[in-house]
Amino acid sequence: MAKTTKLETADSSTEEKIKEAASKVFTQKGFAATRTRDIAEEAGINLALLNYYFRSKEKLFDLVMMESLQKFMMGVKDILNDVNSSLTEKISLLASHYIDLLKANADLPLFILSEIRANPERLETKMGVKEMLLQSNFFKQLEATTKKTVDPVHFVMNIIGLIVFPFVASPMLMIIGDRSKTEFDALMEERKKMIPVWVDAMLKSS
Amino acid sequence: MAKTTKLETADSSTEEKIKEAASKVFTQKGFAATRTRDIAEEAGINLALLNYYFRSKEKLFDLVMMESLQKFMMGVKDILNDVNSSLTEKISLLASHYIDLLKANADLPLFILSEIRANPERLETKMGVKEMLLQSNFFKQLEATTKKTVDPVHFVMNIIGLIVFPFVASPMLMIIGDRSKTEFDALMEERKKMIPVWVDAMLKSS
DNA sequence: ATAATTTTTAATCATTTGATTAAATCAAAT
DNA sequence: ATTTGATTTAATCAAATGATTAAAAATTAT
């Protein structure tokens, strides 16, 4: 298991190559549809090597999923708890942050959501997402703004939906509007500015 | 292949039982993760019978997917092209229609979106969704309202997202808010009234 | 009732697939 | 140069899985 001697950077090590290949294939096809041979081929290595490094398909998947979730959550806590920014500014920051992230990892959300549904237990306990959100400055500001007229959870759903849904539905949207990936990305770029405006309007309407 | 003689209603025929079981299992686990044996067991029949009726897993899946898509599209065209209703009224009708549909079939959207991504070709040509939408009365009303300030496709995404996203993300939302299915459904019921209001506000803000 | 047809089953096949093993190769240490 | 340990490979295993087959059971027609 030691790879201490061979001269190689952390990024080009065989282990890392396999992990990256696994991330790519798992994200694209989901756990059930990916064969370990696909990952091996994508990584340019032998099948046995994959098991040598990661014991099993499941272990490798858990690792990839963990890192995907971290990637998805990383940086959000800081935005949510910034004391200097207004609610609208936070929404703007969230939109920018996630749209940039998702432009580079468009099928991350569908992958995560699919696999959570396929195996809810695996995530149940994971991370204090609930706490992080509910105790955040963001949520307090949101509660203050909605003034009990509407459950603030609606707006959490709305904001996440406005940001994430186009990426989840992009295969369908590309067909409907038959736009290229570039045009789609341009649309998403516009949304960075529009989403805060829209959410503001929604909040005032309630 | 003939089932014309035996006395059985269309709904309790073996063929129909298998189709329903297949729909249930496929929708829940996706194509790759479902084994034909699961479907057979769910339908309470033998494995060979499944192949006797439907030739193969793929054929059965195509059938189920086709019917899922029809279920999803059914009734929309009429709403989109109603000449008597305003844009807001159409949005209200769409929200009611889909929220009712999705309360009864909560994992339909994630199933459809996942399988489209896994196999985009299969849907490419299917149904004139694009035409149905773009030539609809609804879309004309939408274009008139947005007055070129913002690409109307944004609002198509927003409306679909506001309606559908909570169901796509429900596994995650249930964890975040740890609400029961009943509470979740109550929230969705509220959205029937709120979504038209929210979309109105968004449209006016642009 | 008997024959013919349809439906259902148990047993089995062939392929796929996750995993293992034993040997070969490679890099570093002595 | 040789030894040692890490890395990689080819070959193979065992289980899972989609599919088929041949026979039995049930149903309908004669």
Side-chain angles (χ1 to χ4, degrees):
Chain A
M1 187 69 69
K3 54 183 185 317
T4 45
T5 42
K6 276 197 178 173
L7 59 150
E8 44 191 20
T9 72
D11 290 342
S12 72
S13 74
T14 304
E15 193 174 346
E16 194 61 28
K17 261 194 336 195
I18 297 175
K19 242 165 60 179
E20 275 165 24
S23 175
K24 179 171 174 181
V25 181
F26 276 139
T27 305
Q28 215 166 277
K29 320 217 290 185
F31 177 80
T34 75
R35 295 166 301 151
T36 49
R37 282 166 174 81
D38 294 338
I39 298 175
E41 191 187 1
E42 175 75 33
I45 51 101
N46 186 287
L47 170 61
L49 200 50
L50 185 149
N51 288 289
Y52 168 74
Y53 276 113
F54 298 97
R55 277 284 292 169
S56 77
K57 181 187 179 185
E58 274 221 329
K59 292 252 173 62
L60 180 53
F61 177 81
D62 286 345
L63 209 84
V64 166
M65 174 55 82
M66 187 71 71
E67 295 192 356
S68 292
L69 283 173
Q70 281 174 346
K71 192 189 281 186
F72 206 81
M73 293 303 173
M74 189 166 27
V76 178
K77 196 172 180 176
D78 291 337
I79 297 178
L80 257 38
N81 284 305
D82 188 304
V83 285
N84 296 318
S85 55
S86 68
L87 179 60
T88 307
E89 284 165 346
K90 285 189 181 63
I91 293 169
S92 181
L93 288 171
L94 284 172
S96 286
H97 173 73
Y98 270 112
I99 286 172
D100 284 340
L101 178 68
L102 295 181
K103 276 169 76 173
N105 306 273
D107 39 12
L108 204 55
L110 195 48
F111 168 63
I112 293 175
L113 290 171
S114 297
E115 298 299 336
I116 286 182
R117 184 196 46 167
N119 220 326
E121 336 59 272
R122 215 192 305 232
L123 272 293
E124 203 104 322
T125 55
K126 266 294 147 243
M127 321 184 145
V129 187
K130 184 187 156 195
E131 290 71 21
M132 179 173 86
L133 176 68
L134 266 46
Q135 296 167 8
S136 69
N137 199 320
F138 166 84
F139 196 77
K140 290 187 177 68
Q141 289 175 304
L142 185 58
E143 274 183 315
T145 310
T146 57
K147 291 183 208 109
K148 313 295 174 202
T149 52
V150 180
D151 191 325
V153 170
H154 277 302
F155 290 99
V156 174
M157 289 192 284
N158 294 353
I159 293 166
I160 302 180
L162 286 171
I163 297 173
V164 173
F165 185 76
F167 292 94
V168 173
S170 63
M172 186 167 270
L173 292 174
M174 298 247 196
I175 293 175
I176 287 181
D178 52 25
R179 291 174 155 80
S180 68
K181 162 101 174 112
T182 326
E183 292 171 305
F184 178 81
D185 281 359
L187 273 182
M188 294 308 108
E189 205 57 35
E190 290 177 21
R191 292 177 79 80
K192 287 186 188 175
K193 294 200 170 57
M194 294 312 300
I195 287 174
V197 178
W198 289 331
V199 175
D200 254 8
M202 290 170 58
L203 281 166
K204 279 172 189 146
S205 76
S206 301
Chain B
M1 189 68 70
K3 58 189 179 312
T4 45
T5 42
K6 275 197 177 173
L7 61 149
E8 43 189 19
T9 73
D11 290 344
S12 72
S13 75
T14 303
E15 193 174 345
E16 195 61 28
K17 261 192 337 194
I18 297 176
K19 242 165 60 178
E20 274 165 25
S23 175
K24 179 171 174 180
V25 181
F26 276 139
T27 305
Q28 215 166 280
K29 321 216 288 185
F31 177 80
T34 76
R35 295 166 302 148
T36 49
R37 281 165 174 82
D38 294 338
I39 298 175
E41 191 187 3
E42 176 74 32
I45 51 100
N46 186 287
L47 170 61
L49 200 49
L50 185 148
N51 289 287
Y52 168 73
Y53 277 113
F54 299 96
R55 277 281 294 168
S56 77
K57 182 187 178 185
E58 274 220 329
K59 292 253 174 60
L60 180 52
F61 177 80
D62 285 345
L63 209 84
V64 166
M65 174 56 83
M66 187 70 73
E67 295 193 355
S68 292
L69 283 174
Q70 280 174 346
K71 192 188 280 185
F72 207 81
M73 293 304 172
M74 188 165 29
V76 178
K77 195 172 181 178
D78 291 338
I79 296 178
L80 256 40
N81 285 306
D82 189 302
V83 285
N84 295 318
S85 55
S86 68
L87 179 61
T88 307
E89 284 164 346
K90 285 189 180 64
I91 293 169
S92 181
L93 287 170
L94 283 172
S96 286
H97 173 74
Y98 271 112
I99 287 172
D100 284 341
L101 177 68
L102 296 180
K103 277 169 76 173
N105 306 274
D107 40 11
L108 203 56
L110 194 49
F111 168 64
I112 292 175
L113 291 171
S114 297
E115 298 299 338
I116 285 182
R117 184 196 45 166
N119 221 325
E121 332 66 90
R122 214 191 307 233
L123 272 294
E124 204 105 322
T125 55
K126 265 296 147 237
M127 321 184 145
V129 187
K130 182 187 158 196
E131 289 70 23
M132 180 173 85
L133 176 68
L134 265 47
Q135 297 166 8
S136 70
N137 200 321
F138 167 84
F139 196 76
K140 290 187 177 69
Q141 290 175 305
L142 186 59
E143 274 183 315
T145 311
T146 57
K147 289 182 209 109
K148 314 292 174 203
T149 52
V150 180
D151 192 325
V153 169
H154 277 302
F155 290 99
V156 174
M157 290 192 283
N158 294 353
I159 293 166
I160 302 179
L162 285 171
I163 297 173
V164 173
F165 185 76
F167 293 93
V168 173
S170 64
M172 186 166 270
L173 292 173
M174 298 246 199
I175 293 176
I176 287 181
D178 52 23
R179 289 173 156 80
S180 68
K181 162 104 174 109
T182 326
E183 292 170 307
F184 178 81
D185 280 359
L187 273 181
M188 294 308 108
E189 206 56 35
E190 289 177 21
R191 293 177 79 80
K192 287 186 187 175
K193 295 201 170 57
M194 294 312 300
I195 287 174
V197 177
W198 289 331
V199 175
D200 256 8
M202 289 171 58
L203 282 167
K204 279 173 188 145
S205 76
S206 300

